[in-house]
Amino acid sequence: MKNMSSAPPKTVHRSSVPLTPSVKLKYVKLGYHYLATNSVYLLLIPLIAVTLTNLPSIPSLLEICNQNPTLILAVASISLSLILAVHVARSRRSVYLLDFACYKPSPAHFCSRELFMEVSSAPGEFTEDSLDFQRRIMEKSGYGQMTYAPTGLLTKSPPDQSIAAAREETEAAIFGAIDNLLEKVGVEVREIGVLVVNSSMFNPTPSLSAAIVNRYKMRGNVLSYNLGGMGCSAGLISVDLAKDLLQVHPHTYALVVSTENITRNWYFGNHRPMLLTNCLFRIGAAAILLTNRPSDRRRSKYQLRHTVRTHRGASDKSYRCVFQQEDDRNIIGISLSKEKVKAYVPDFKLAFEHFCIHAGGRGVLDEMEKSLELTDRHMEPSRMTLYRFGNTSSSSVWYELAYIEAKGRVRKRDRVWQIGFGSGFKCNSVVWRALRNVDPNCEREKKNPWRDEIDGFPVHVPKVAPILS
């Protein structure tokens, strides 16, 4: 994990630091990037110079113009077309976030800490040491009593881990989020030209993107993509992919859907690194509608400013930090490593008003708070999302943004930084700028998952919350 140092940043004077080979290479890359992106203009310079030196005198030029008006018109038209083509090629379309929605399961899915331990104890698969380990994790997790889990795991014995149950869980989540979103924005499904879906651990055939196309009868030429195995940061990867697609497909909408599946990935072995997934992950999904239509700017909430993707998969430790495998009894699970990468971190509080840090767990948030030197208010959306909804994987940053909106904190021109961490190891960022104040009391915000309970937050979350036997 990048940027995880708890030590205060040291002041470095640029003038006193010699250029290292990596820094020199950085400037070489910047120079190359400049030459590549401005190559058309640079090539035109010698062409223009040669043309000017070979031009006839002004009287001769006027005589040519009088004798060949059609030729001059053709040359002017071609020149104008070239200028416009270069301008269009270099211009990047603005991408706007029209709105988003998060899935809120019914109370039938409530999973209190006590119910979690009851479900874990029932099958008789776990040793006493494993149950005690899970109990201690839950007591320190920062979770409240109203996170959500699949009913097939909560109410059935033995737990239902069938593909049918997994489909039921995932489709309820993604369809619920999309239904809420479409109701909020009033956009016709046939207007959506791009669909990007991410689910790390559940990727059935037909794909989840195909399930959405089928459910909503999307048009036949929709560009659909299904991302799997990319972990909790995949939601921001999906936004980045949709952004790139909107650069080449004008006047369209892109629907991004982020979720994760618990049913198929509940672990019934006793290998501790794999037991962590049972304790941490909960039901959640988010649907986001992006647009590149200039006319949609006035009714959009945010403009996409930056996307940054960092992949440390070349490191073996990073590659194996979240790893699906069998334990010594050939039971499949996901092993979570505690390896962290420490690095210098600048003062990001000067650059952003709001932080949406993936609610991966209490330890993750504690480390991020220290390394980024953030305040309790900066961390509030992440900690309250972890308390109320648990780790909903790639969709967690959207529950956090929904929290900020429900609190009425988003003002025009505010900058929002979403940070996601995922298997591989990947750290991805998206930066948004608010285009208007977000009024939590307007009609459009009734679908906010926090709306009916936001007045009860923030709450105090103890370091240890004992589970009642």
Side-chain angles (χ1 to χ4, degrees):
M1 185 180 301
K2 219 171 184 179
N3 304 339
M4 299 299 289
S5 175
S6 59
K10 300 179 181 179
T11 302
V12 178
H13 300 285
R14 292 182 180 273
S15 60
S16 64
V17 180
L19 290 179
T20 64
S22 61
V23 174
K24 293 177 182 177
L25 181 59
K26 170 187 173 182
Y27 287 108
V28 171
K29 289 181 178 179
L30 288 175
Y32 175 79
H33 175 73
Y34 177 82
L35 290 174
T37 55
N38 295 278
S39 58
V40 175
Y41 294 115
L42 295 174
L43 289 173
L44 284 176
I45 292 175
L47 179 62
I48 293 172
V50 171
T51 302
L52 290 175
T53 57
N54 289 277
L55 279 176
S57 62
I58 296 299
S60 300
L61 184 61
L62 293 175
E63 183 178 348
I64 293 174
C65 292
N66 290 331
Q67 294 176 355
N68 301 280
T70 304
L71 175 62
I72 297 302
L73 180 61
V75 172
S77 299
I78 293 173
S79 300
L80 180 60
S81 298
L82 285 173
I83 292 172
L84 289 175
V86 171
H87 174 73
V88 170
R90 286 183 51 82
S91 299
R92 293 191 63 80
R93 294 185 175 91
S94 295
V95 174
Y96 305 105
L97 193 164
L98 194 60
D99 215 327
F100 68 97
C102 300
Y103 173 61
K104 188 173 185 178
S106 69
H109 292 274
F110 280 150
C111 181
S112 67
R113 296 189 301 270
E114 287 76 17
L115 179 57
F116 170 84
M117 291 306 305
E118 181 182 330
V119 170
S120 297
S121 302
E125 297 289 342
F126 299 118
T127 64
E128 287 301 319
D129 284 345
S130 293
L131 290 173
D132 182 62
F133 173 74
Q134 292 180 82
R135 177 184 295 274
R136 286 185 281 111
I137 291 295
M138 288 304 302
E139 290 179 337
K140 299 177 182 179
S141 65
Y143 282 31
Q145 297 287 60
M146 297 171 65
T147 60
Y148 300 100
T151 55
L153 297 178
L154 296 179
T155 62
K156 296 185 179 180
S157 183
D160 186 355
Q161 292 188 286
S162 65
I163 289 183
R167 279 188 183 276
E168 181 180 353
E169 175 201 337
T170 294
E171 291 181 357
I174 60 178
F175 295 160
I178 295 172
D179 287 347
N180 289 342
L181 176 63
L182 294 177
E183 187 176 340
K184 291 175 73 173
V185 299
V187 170
E188 295 293 332
V189 173
R190 64 176 177 273
E191 297 181 87
I192 299 174
V194 175
L195 171 64
V196 183
V197 183
N198 67 268
S199 173
S200 187
M201 301 308 301
F202 181 57
N203 292 282
T205 300
S207 66
L208 297 179
S209 60
I212 293 173
V213 171
N214 177 261
R215 165 67 179 262
Y216 295 96
K217 309 305 176 188
M218 302 180 80
R219 68 197 203 198
N221 64 344
V222 64
L223 302 174
S224 63
Y225 299 85
N226 207 91
L227 307 183
M230 303 191 78
C232 299
S233 67
L236 302 185
I237 295 174
S238 296
V239 169
D240 184 58
L241 174 58
K243 175 205 69 175
D244 289 343
L245 292 169
L246 288 175
Q247 295 304 313
V248 293
H249 297 280
H251 203 64
T252 192
Y253 293 101
L255 175 61
V256 174
V257 182
S258 297
T259 192
E260 192 50 82
N261 184 273
I262 299 173
T263 297
R264 294 284 288 177
N265 297 290
W266 198 269
Y267 174 67
F268 287 105
N270 291 286
H271 186 49
R272 285 193 175 185
M274 296 182 180
L275 287 170
L276 287 172
T277 58
N278 293 1
C279 300
L280 297 179
F281 288 100
R282 297 293 183 267
I283 293 177
I288 304 96
L289 193 64
L290 305 177
T291 177
N292 58 15
R293 299 184 179 195
S295 59
D296 281 326
R297 187 182 192 280
R298 60 180 179 81
R299 69 190 189 110
S300 295
K301 283 185 173 180
Y302 306 93
Q303 181 175 359
L304 180 58
R305 302 300 298 171
H306 304 286
T307 58
V308 179
R309 294 172 58 178
T310 302
H311 202 310
R312 298 184 58 86
S315 162
D316 290 342
K317 285 186 176 180
S318 296
Y319 174 68
R320 297 186 66 88
C321 70
V322 181
F323 207 82
Q324 186 178 29
Q325 60 188 20
E326 294 94 352
D327 64 10
D328 54 4
R329 295 170 56 198
N330 289 324
I331 301 175
I332 296 175
I334 303 169
S335 177
L336 300 183
S337 168
K338 292 184 178 181
E339 291 292 336
K340 293 180 178 66
V341 180
K342 299 183 181 296
Y344 164 74
V345 181
D347 189 355
F348 287 111
K349 298 189 295 296
L350 302 177
F352 306 103
E353 285 72 39
H354 308 289
F355 293 79
C356 298
I357 302 170
H358 166 53
R362 188 172 204 155
V364 172
L365 297 182
D366 288 346
E367 289 286 346
M368 291 300 293
E369 181 178 4
K370 292 177 183 178
S371 62
L372 296 178
E373 297 185 337
L374 300 179
T375 66
D376 289 343
R377 187 175 175 87
H378 288 135
M379 297 299 300
E380 184 182 315
S382 298
R383 292 197 185 280
M384 293 304 101
T385 294
L386 187 69
Y387 177 86
R388 178 62 182 85
F389 292 97
N391 180 351
T392 62
S393 190
S394 58
S395 64
S396 69
V397 292
W398 297 103
Y399 286 87
E400 293 160 15
L401 184 53
Y403 179 91
I404 298 170
E405 290 186 351
K407 281 292 186 182
R409 296 176 182 174
V410 177
R411 316 304 295 173
K412 186 176 181 179
R413 289 185 290 275
D414 278 0
R415 296 154 298 182
V416 180
W417 185 18
Q418 292 180 315
I419 315 167
F421 314 105
S423 57
F425 174 84
K426 297 177 288 293
C427 178
N428 302 313
S429 296
V430 171
V431 177
W432 307 94
R433 183 180 287 274
L435 297 174
R436 56 181 172 85
N437 299 344
V438 177
D439 180 6
N441 297 313
C442 72
E443 183 69 21
R444 189 165 159 178
E445 296 305 313
K446 287 186 176 180
K447 294 297 181 180
N448 189 307
W450 297 91
R451 179 181 174 86
D452 297 333
E453 51 190 286
I454 192 62
D455 291 339
F457 290 91
V459 298
H460 171 68
V461 182
K463 293 292 185 182
V464 179
I467 295 177
L468 303 177
S469 299

